Amino acid sequence: MSAVSSRRRHIALAGLVSGGLVLAGCAKSASTGASPTSGSTATSSASSTGAAQQVETPTATPPAAGGGASATAGPAAAAAGCTNTTYGAPKLDLKTTTVGFSQSEAESNPFRATETASITAEAKRLGIKLITRNANADVSRQNSDIQAMIAQGAKVLIVAPENSDGLAPSLAAAKAQKIPVLTIDRTVQGKACSDFIGFIGSNFLGQAVIAADDMGTALGGKGKVAILQGTPGNNVAADRTSGFVNQIKAKYPGISIVASQTGNFDQATGQKVTAQILQSNPDLAGVYAENDGMALGALQAIRAAGKRGGKDIKVVGIDGIRQAVQNVADGTMVSTIETNPRFGPLAFSTLAAFYTPAGAPTKVIIKDGHFTAANAKQALTNGSVY
Ligand code: AHR
């Protein structure tokens, strides 16, 4: 690992919030090759981690669900995990239990499609009955989805929250019926191992720091940049904004952030907002999109304005969806930082752990890839891109 990539890895890990069973620190990657969160090397874990989620920092190892879940957690930590007893939920055998999965957003976003497919495939592999609902980016609908799945007989819930604040009614309904809730990909307000079991997801601050460094390097440290923020009201958009802004301010004084508006994690909105920003800032040099869908929308607006992505305007995205990685390989985007949506194995092994005396970790931060010109072509063919 080069000095630069090693430093980037430190920056990424410095963004981790230590809590639950997760230990923060400058951990060495368990996988072979450099972690993509550690920099843009040709041997990044775009290839070494493959498709499966890997845990970034040491945490309690959840046992394999149903004797066979492919958990990829790190070494066991000493602290006790969250058990059904401490949570106040009855002991269950997952094999004879109905599990509900609440998806937050439309599966036209490859992140969402891959996430739902991963949860569904792992439930099938383990022989667990799963019911699913999609709230299509509507928090009230997600509240009613969760309550509907409880009415349908779900005794355990996996929730991908739309919003960090708005799910209190359905979480309270679940709690009142002693139905445990595991959150994935975004957090919710409340107390771990009480209002919900815990959280599994990415290091969003770390992603944003890498995005800022990619933008700073691509612009040679100067120029006007716009931010396309994610949907307001959740930790992902908040961290991806503050992490980027703080890193730009700290390291790239020649870069000015001239606009920062929500594109709702949505391609069409990303396009519309970028078109407006370009009208008031015709000399815009960079767009940081807090997900790849918005980055694709930004590129449409850039083309419509007669400019070239990669040449006139540098675009950095987050997620690592196939089209964005293809754009990085083609040179129309600078980079995209992965958000691995394949939650199935870790989600079900965490639930299995919850029903054992060792308990489940209350925070699991996964390791994500980093797709740059150095590894994008390879990533498109090695199974790491979705
Ligand atoms: O919460 C994860 C984010 O939400 C993904 O980056 C994005 O694509 C999704 O909408």
Side-chain angles (χ1 to χ4, degrees), residues 105 109 111-112 185-186 204 236 240 265 290-291 318-319 339:
E105 292 175 352
N109 177 349
F111 176 93
R112 296 292 157 195
D185 95 62
R186 293 179 190 168
F204 307 110
V236 179
R240 286 181 183 167
F265 284 132
E290 292 179 8
N291 83 345
I318 293 187
D319 272 358
T339 314

Side-chain angles (χ1 to χ4, degrees), residues 16-351:
L16 295 180
V17 180
S18 178
L21 299 180
V22 170
L23 310 175
C26 190
K28 214 174 162 58
S29 173
S31 61
T32 56
S35 161
T37 46
S38 70
S40 24
T41 63
T43 55
S44 88
S45 63
S47 59
S48 61
T49 59
Q53 284 184 337
Q54 306 268 330
V55 172
E56 171 69 59
T57 47
T59 186
T61 306
S70 50
T72 49
C82 175
T83 67
N84 67 288
T85 311
T86 47
Y87 195 95
K91 173 100 174 150
L92 292 174
D93 176 0
L94 284 173
K95 285 218 179 266
T96 54
T97 299
T98 300
V99 176
F101 173 54
S102 171
Q103 175 58 277
S104 56
E105 292 175 352
E107 282 146 11
S108 49
N109 177 349
F111 176 93
R112 296 292 157 195
T114 308
E115 182 178 54
T116 301
S118 175
I119 295 285
T120 307
E122 187 66 0
K124 190 170 174 201
R125 194 182 77 78
L126 297 169
I128 293 171
K129 184 178 175 200
L130 182 78
I131 52 177
T132 65
R133 290 195 175 224
N134 192 314
N136 280 305
D138 179 340
V139 183
S140 356
R141 179 155 165 197
Q142 188 160 38
N143 273 304
S144 47
D145 280 353
I146 290 169
Q147 299 192 42
M149 287 193 289
I150 293 173
Q152 266 180 278
K155 298 288 181 235
V156 179
L157 293 163
I158 301 170
V159 175
E162 170 63 9
N163 187 297
S164 296
D165 311 315
L167 292 179
S170 52
L171 293 186
K175 190 171 178 171
Q177 297 193 47
K178 302 187 190 326
I179 294 173
V181 175
L182 177 66
T183 62
I184 60 172
D185 95 62
R186 293 179 190 168
T187 59
V188 287
Q189 294 296 334
K191 196 164 172 252
C193 204
S194 173
D195 301 312
F196 54 91
I197 297 171
F199 164 75
I200 306 172
S202 296
N203 174 1
F204 307 110
L205 277 172
Q207 291 177 327
V209 169
I210 293 169
D213 283 337
D214 285 355
M215 183 64 83
T217 304
L219 293 180
K222 54 179 189 298
K224 293 184 180 176
V225 167
I227 301 176
L228 296 178
Q229 296 175 18
T231 314
N234 66 74
N235 67 305
V236 179
D239 285 357
R240 286 181 183 167
T241 302
S242 65
F244 184 86
V245 170
N246 292 339
Q247 182 74 350
I248 291 289
K249 279 188 185 156
K251 273 187 69 181
Y252 308 98
I255 292 182
S256 51
I257 296 170
V258 293
S260 186
Q261 284 173 236
T262 185
N264 285 331
F265 284 132
D266 172 64
Q267 181 167 343
T269 316
Q271 179 180 7
K272 201 173 108 196
V273 171
T274 306
Q276 289 160 358
I277 293 171
L278 277 170
Q279 278 191 345
S280 16
N281 300 277
D283 55 346
L284 195 73
V287 175
Y288 161 54
E290 292 179 8
N291 83 345
D292 283 340
M294 296 189 295
L296 300 188
L299 282 169
Q300 290 173 301
I302 288 166
R303 276 193 294 273
K307 294 179 186 276
R308 297 161 301 171
K311 296 235 174 340
D312 305 312
I313 300 185
K314 309 290 185 190
V315 178
V316 174
I318 293 187
D319 272 358
I321 67 170
R322 181 164 291 277
Q323 185 56 57
V325 178
Q326 183 66 59
N327 291 343
V328 174
D330 296 344
T332 50
M333 278 176 65
V334 173
S335 66
T336 174
I337 298 96
E338 184 190 34
T339 314
N340 191 331
R342 302 168 185 98
F343 285 93
L346 266 179
F348 281 100
S349 59
T350 299
L351 287 178

